[in-house]
Amino acid sequence: MLSRTADHLFWMSRYTERAEKTAAGGLSSTHRECAQRVRGFLPEESAC
């Protein structure tokens, strides 16, 4: 039962990550960079 739950959580996180990447693909490069700064993936060089 525990391994089944872990498996479901793993795949749910994979699908969530894929959906986020797909949604980010529709954003302009400026908005994408701003979103990455907010999430902490890029350093704070300029304000969004």
Side-chain angles (χ1 to χ4, degrees):
M1 177 95 166
L2 183 60
S3 65
R4 214 166 123 191
T5 303
D7 186 57
H8 287 267
L9 288 172
F10 169 78
W11 286 108
M12 184 175 65
S13 66
R14 291 285 304 237
Y15 292 138
T16 302
E17 183 179 352
R18 186 180 299 168
E20 287 177 347
K21 288 183 180 181
T22 301
L27 298 175
S28 70
S29 62
T30 304
H31 288 102
R32 190 175 308 123
E33 287 177 11
C34 182
Q36 289 176 343
R37 272 194 200 90
V38 169
R39 290 183 183 156
F41 294 125
L42 293 176
E44 290 282 336
E45 293 176 358
S46 62
C48 297

